[in-house]
Amino acid sequence: MAQSIFEPGSEIYGIWDGGDAVGLLAIIDMAHPDADLDDGDDPDGVYIWRLMVDKSRQGRGYGMAALDFAKSVALKKGRSNLVISVVDEPGNALPLYQSFGFAPTGRLVDGEVELIMRLA
């Protein structure tokens, strides 16, 4: 969370079940005027920077609900794409992201597989 003050366009949300914190969602609006874009980054996208759900709470729909929330934020901002990346290792969240509608872009970003969902 502390890193977010150095990421223009970042927003952080808690994932809650009643009064219990179960995870965190962090996004970056890549269209922010001060966004630090790398070559190939999509300036018309919202990047899901972090999506974490407590291991004991996984498989209960919190991740899907967070993805749905991120999609709604991107749509409200008028962005055309929702972007996420995942470490390519056994047990990763790739099946979750693909079931939600993300598809690989063919890019590796910081060693992670980049995925995109076209919204428009």
Side-chain angles (χ1 to χ4, degrees):
M1 288 175 41
Q3 190 178 2
S4 68
I5 63 172
F6 303 106
E7 288 291 342
S10 64
E11 300 174 22
I12 298 177
Y13 301 93
I15 302 171
W16 296 87
D17 183 359
D20 296 328
V22 298
L24 177 128
L25 171 70
I27 63 172
I28 299 174
D29 182 356
M30 303 304 278
H32 187 280
D34 297 321
D36 184 20
L37 301 180
D38 293 328
D39 287 340
D41 282 350
D42 182 2
D44 191 27
V46 166
Y47 175 64
I48 299 174
W49 182 27
R50 300 280 185 272
L51 174 54
M52 298 177 280
V53 175
D54 183 276
K55 190 166 184 82
S56 69
R57 304 288 186 114
Q58 292 178 5
R60 298 184 190 177
Y62 298 110
M64 280 291 217
L67 291 171
D68 196 47
F69 177 78
K71 180 179 176 181
S72 72
V73 169
L75 288 167
K76 285 179 188 171
K77 291 178 178 291
R79 304 297 170 255
S80 296
N81 301 301
L82 188 59
V83 182
I84 196 165
S85 62
V86 63
V87 175
D88 190 13
E89 63 183 26
N92 67 18
L94 183 61
L96 171 71
Y97 301 152
Q98 289 178 315
S99 72
F100 192 75
F102 285 96
T105 65
R107 290 181 61 203
L108 286 178
V109 179
D110 296 329
E112 296 186 6
V113 176
E114 182 184 68
L115 301 116
I116 193 166
M117 175 188 288
R118 307 271 183 217
L119 303 175

